[in-house]
Amino acid sequence: MGLFKRTGAKPKTSSNGPSPRKTGPAPGQPGSGDPASAPPDPGPSPPTSSRRPREKPLRGSLDSNISAAFVVVKDKVQQELIEDLDQNPTTLDLENGRTLIEPIFARAVTAAGLVLSRTERQKLFEMVVAEILGYGPIQPLLNDDSVSEIMVNGPQKVYAERGGRLVLTDVRFQDNHHVMRVVERILAPLGRRVDESSPMVDARLPDGSRVNVIIPPLAIDGPTVTIRKFSKRPLAVEDLIRFGSFTEEFAQFIKACVVSRLNILVSGGTGSGKTTMLNVLSSFIPGDERIVTIEDSAELQLRQEHVVRLETRPPNIEGKGAITIRDLVINSLRMRPDRIVVGECRGGEALDMLQAMNTGHDGSMSTLHSNSPRDTLSRLETMVLMAGMDLPLRAIRQQIASAIDMVVHVERLRDGSRRVIYCTEVLHMEGETILTQDIFHFVEEGFQEGRIVGQLRPTGIRPKVLERMKPDQVELPPHLFGGLGTSRP
């Protein structure tokens, strides 16, 4: 039985289906149009039946998403809600909204003459609720805990990341306008906008999930939306140990580094888990300290009580009023912070962050994009130069060597897993070079059942920062670093 069938209605020909007079034999037979099998003179096509082809039943599942019946029912329900409530139904909360929508939905289905099974009716109801109160066709993906990222490449292609791998979903939008309605619903609570004059925007969902939107004319194939979801429960250090991201020995060492107020950078590529790692590191900060977080779009999930969250602001429609990360870093120095946590360094704010680290704001943390710990320091030099200060390279490197204590480098491996690859200590300047030493590094042992087998292992080098941990009465066992170990002079 078709899902949406009008009582007493005659079957229709699908608008996308072939015309009956063009129906011919199967490929590979004479007259099929297949060049490999057609004879030199195929002649006229055999006569076709005068009966029109049967229409495929419209599916009301969340896989096909859009149907004529869905649009009719949704519009009717939405219109009645507006008339009854005298307000926009999207302002309703989910529970109250479902209660109000249910009787109106029942009337709309009856008025439309649809014959539905219980399962089909429930699926159509969920679609209507998602369209009116949620984020439309992508709402099921947002509700799915196994999905970590959602990518809308125009109305007809929606990808999702599951278990570190991208898959094409069956989710579809009606058209570009349908995508834009969902985008506007995301941006409205934040007071942000996206249009032809400002076709790119960063935003977030109420749960902190990061959203990036880029629209035509920059996005050629239609509005493109990328949503990086965050777990409803912030991942703890025990979770990452269980996932194999790092070991208990590394967790014990890096916790000691945070408690002892060492300055730490988390580096890695896109989607490698830098923000997750920063969340885990920040969970080690003692609860009696004042923490100021600075981000482009608020996504850090700190669990301490005394946290001040700052977020940048894009320019208004006149191109004025923008507040950058650099502005917020400078302002945060006047807020008496014990720790400054910068979501990501991308430009000139790196200089102000280094200045803060070198002027008494120890224990600060940030992330940046790079391919290795050595690249992290090189990129930091470049970003300091982007501040517009005409500083000699040696002076910049001295600032970096003095400010940064540890670099934790994470990567997304080819099997989709995210691992800590290096934990590197920044030592001091020697000549024109910043000296570093690896304390832990990931050793790949093989590939089994589609997964990389390996472990984060100590290098046997005893870090020099252990001396700085003694005043905080933090002691680590020597075997943590692979035996007695040695310390670099």
Side-chain angles (χ1 to χ4, degrees):
M1 181 184 70
L3 181 59
F4 301 133
K5 189 195 265 182
R6 291 184 181 271
T7 349
K10 293 181 180 180
K12 299 179 181 177
T13 304
S14 171
S15 60
N16 296 325
S19 173
R21 60 187 179 84
K22 292 185 179 178
T23 305
Q29 295 180 358
S32 66
D34 184 352
S37 59
D41 183 13
S45 300
T48 59
S49 169
S50 59
R51 296 182 61 187
R52 304 180 70 168
R54 294 186 66 181
E55 180 187 19
K56 293 182 179 179
L58 294 170
R59 301 275 179 196
S61 68
L62 291 171
D63 296 332
S64 59
N65 284 290
I66 302 301
S67 69
F70 161 69
V71 175
V72 169
V73 172
K74 189 267 295 183
D75 288 345
K76 185 170 181 60
V77 170
Q78 197 163 16
Q79 187 59 38
E80 285 202 33
L81 276 175
I82 293 172
E83 292 173 358
D84 292 350
L85 302 174
D86 196 25
Q87 69 178 24
N88 190 335
T90 59
T91 59
L92 295 169
D93 63 79
L94 188 58
E95 289 306 316
N96 290 336
R98 291 176 71 93
T99 306
L100 290 170
I101 288 173
E102 199 159 8
I104 301 175
F105 169 81
R107 292 198 300 270
V109 169
T110 304
L114 300 176
V115 179
L116 306 172
S117 69
R118 179 178 296 180
T119 304
E120 294 165 343
R121 188 186 186 93
Q122 183 62 29
K123 286 180 178 178
L124 180 59
F125 177 69
E126 294 298 336
M127 290 171 66
V128 171
V129 170
E131 187 66 27
I132 294 176
L133 302 179
Y135 298 108
I138 60 173
Q139 188 64 48
L141 297 177
L142 292 170
N143 296 338
D144 188 346
D145 291 336
S146 68
V147 174
S148 56
E149 198 148 357
I150 302 167
M151 287 143 277
V152 180
N153 300 350
Q156 299 303 315
K157 286 186 180 179
V158 179
Y159 289 84
E161 182 185 274
R162 285 190 176 94
R165 298 185 181 276
L166 292 179
V167 293
L168 178 64
T169 70
D170 295 325
V171 173
R172 300 289 183 272
F173 289 82
Q174 286 173 288
D175 49 32
N176 287 344
H177 294 294
H178 191 192
V179 182
M180 289 305 299
R181 287 200 300 273
V182 173
V183 168
E184 288 163 7
R185 191 169 300 171
I186 293 171
L187 299 181
L190 306 175
R192 299 197 174 188
R193 64 185 179 86
V194 61
D195 50 38
E196 287 189 4
S197 62
S198 178
M200 298 181 293
V201 68
D202 287 315
R204 67 179 187 276
L205 297 180
D207 65 356
S209 298
R210 181 196 307 171
V211 181
N212 175 267
V213 180
I214 181 168
I215 65 171
L218 302 188
I220 297 171
D221 298 323
T224 301
V225 184
T226 308
I227 301 175
R228 181 167 297 171
K229 290 175 56 182
F230 288 141
S231 173
K232 292 182 176 65
R233 179 183 66 86
L235 293 176
V237 62
E238 295 79 15
D239 297 317
L240 297 189
I241 292 173
R242 189 174 70 253
F243 297 156
S245 298
F246 50 72
T247 60
E248 291 186 15
E249 290 78 13
F250 168 81
Q252 191 177 350
F253 171 67
I254 205 66
K255 179 179 180 180
C257 291
V258 174
V259 171
S260 299
R261 302 180 65 85
L262 301 186
N263 296 319
I264 302 173
L265 284 182
V266 179
S267 63
T270 301
S272 58
K274 299 185 297 299
T275 303
T276 301
M277 178 58 64
L278 191 60
N279 270 323
V280 169
L281 296 183
S282 64
S283 69
F284 298 137
I285 299 175
D288 59 350
E289 296 187 10
R290 176 177 170 88
I291 308 167
V292 177
T293 68
I294 301 170
E295 303 171 83
D296 272 328
S297 58
E299 49 190 330
L300 291 174
Q301 299 168 300
L302 274 65
R303 283 162 280 185
Q304 289 84 350
E305 288 290 330
H306 200 166
V307 178
V308 179
R309 304 169 71 203
L310 305 180
E311 186 178 52
T312 61
R313 185 178 71 185
N316 59 21
I317 197 168
E318 297 174 352
K320 300 177 182 178
I323 304 296
T324 65
I325 283 187
R326 187 175 186 186
D327 296 330
L328 295 178
V329 169
I330 294 171
N331 186 79
S332 69
L333 301 178
R334 307 186 187 102
M335 298 173 66
R336 198 261 178 214
D338 289 311
R339 309 261 185 162
I340 300 174
V341 180
V342 181
E344 184 176 345
C345 275
R346 292 192 183 94
E349 64 271 7
L351 175 60
D352 301 290
M353 188 185 68
L354 291 177
Q355 297 270 29
M357 290 176 174
N358 280 322
T359 53
H361 296 89
D362 294 329
S364 299
M365 292 178 272
S366 184
T367 71
L368 57 84
H369 284 77
S370 72
N371 295 324
S372 69
R374 175 58 62 183
D375 280 351
T376 300
L377 303 181
S378 299
R379 282 215 66 221
L380 205 52
E381 292 176 20
T382 304
M383 288 189 288
V384 170
L385 292 172
M386 292 169 65
M389 302 292 183
D390 191 15
L391 297 174
L393 204 54
R394 181 176 176 81
I396 296 173
R397 288 176 180 170
Q398 285 175 333
Q399 288 273 329
I400 293 173
S402 175
I404 307 300
D405 298 306
M406 302 296 300
V407 176
V408 177
H409 185 74
V410 294
E411 285 185 13
R412 177 181 171 182
L413 303 181
R414 60 185 180 275
D415 64 347
S417 62
R418 295 167 172 88
R419 309 281 186 100
V420 173
I421 304 300
Y422 290 102
C423 178
T424 302
E425 181 183 14
V426 181
L427 298 173
H428 50 75
M429 287 281 292
E430 189 170 285
E432 297 293 325
T433 306
I434 302 174
L435 292 185
T436 62
Q437 61 182 12
D438 294 336
I439 309 302
F440 291 87
H441 76 288
F442 180 78
V443 178
E444 186 174 332
E445 298 169 352
F447 201 78
Q448 186 177 359
E449 297 180 357
R451 306 292 290 180
I452 289 176
V453 179
Q455 194 174 27
L456 186 66
R457 294 180 179 175
T459 60
I461 298 176
R462 187 177 174 85
K464 292 180 70 64
V465 293
L466 293 181
E467 297 298 322
R468 294 175 54 184
M469 296 180 183
K470 288 181 179 178
D472 297 304
Q473 298 181 345
V474 175
E475 294 187 6
L476 297 173
H479 68 79
L480 203 68
F481 308 104
L484 295 176
T486 59
S487 181
R488 196 168 191 166

